[in-house]
Amino acid sequence: MRGERLYTLLEKNPLVIPVILVLLIIFFGGIAVYLAEHKQQGANITNLGDAFWWTIVTITTVGYGEYYPLTLVGRAVGIFVMFSGISIVVIIVGIISQRRIKSIESRTETVNDFMRKSLITIEESSSVQEAANRMKDKNISSLVVVDEIVDHWV
């Protein structure tokens, strides 16, 4: 039951997971860089506020440069945070693109269904009675006469 609700939530709001990932990376990345840097001689990340600010600036790939890690561990955390930020942006772009494509496909299918259900073709040899019977079979109430058909839809 819980799994179904979670699946439904994630299906309707696919950006939930990337947002949670960003928050976790900011939290743990900030703590990790603080622990690696706060006792280092000449470090400029000396409190948690600075560490979280640095992590947010780094994960968003802004990189002001006012805070930066000096230790090897701090720099390793920085590399992880940078690549995580880029990866999450790629995930978000993929999710948005996928939803746009699904939306366009559903509209295209709707138009195609309409065309399939609402159009009949009358060949030159067909009779008016045959066309009327086809219209009745498909429950079409109006008739549009087209003199020329274009090979593709624009």
Side-chain angles (χ1 to χ4, degrees):
M1 184 72 169
R2 269 191 180 147
E4 291 175 21
R5 287 195 307 185
L6 178 63
Y7 179 76
T8 303
L9 171 75
L10 294 177
E11 189 175 37
K12 289 182 181 177
N13 305 305
L15 296 177
V16 169
I17 290 177
V19 168
I20 290 172
L21 282 174
V22 166
L23 295 174
L24 288 172
I25 291 167
I26 289 171
F27 181 75
F28 289 113
I31 290 174
V33 82
Y34 168 74
L35 292 174
E37 297 289 320
H38 79 283
K39 291 183 181 176
Q40 182 68 25
Q41 182 77 19
N44 55 17
I45 301 174
T46 56
N47 60 51
L48 274 174
D50 292 344
F52 287 133
W53 175 253
W54 171 83
T55 309
I56 290 168
V57 167
T58 303
I59 199 168
T60 58
T61 67
V62 173
Y64 288 128
E66 61 201 66
Y67 298 109
Y68 51 88
L70 298 176
T71 65
L72 183 63
V73 174
R75 289 180 179 187
V77 171
I79 291 169
F80 174 76
V81 170
M82 286 180 229
F83 282 118
S84 297
I86 294 167
S87 300
I88 290 171
V89 167
V90 168
I91 290 169
I92 290 171
V93 168
I95 289 170
I96 292 169
S97 299
Q98 179 184 25
R99 291 181 71 94
R100 279 285 286 162
I101 289 170
K102 281 184 180 179
S103 171
I104 290 168
E105 284 176 349
S106 71
R107 279 188 270 154
T108 303
E109 287 174 10
T110 303
V111 169
N112 288 342
D113 286 345
F114 172 77
M115 300 286 283
R116 217 176 1 264
K117 293 176 185 173
S118 303
L119 293 179
I120 59 171
T121 58
I122 303 173
E123 296 83 21
E124 288 180 25
S125 61
S126 295
S127 67
V128 175
Q129 182 62 42
E130 189 178 328
N133 288 339
R134 280 201 208 140
M135 287 176 63
K136 187 177 178 186
D137 291 343
K138 289 190 172 188
N139 205 14
I140 299 173
S141 60
S142 60
L143 175 66
V144 175
V145 178
V146 179
D147 185 33
E148 190 175 314
I149 296 177
V150 181
D151 286 341
H152 62 279
W153 295 89
V154 180

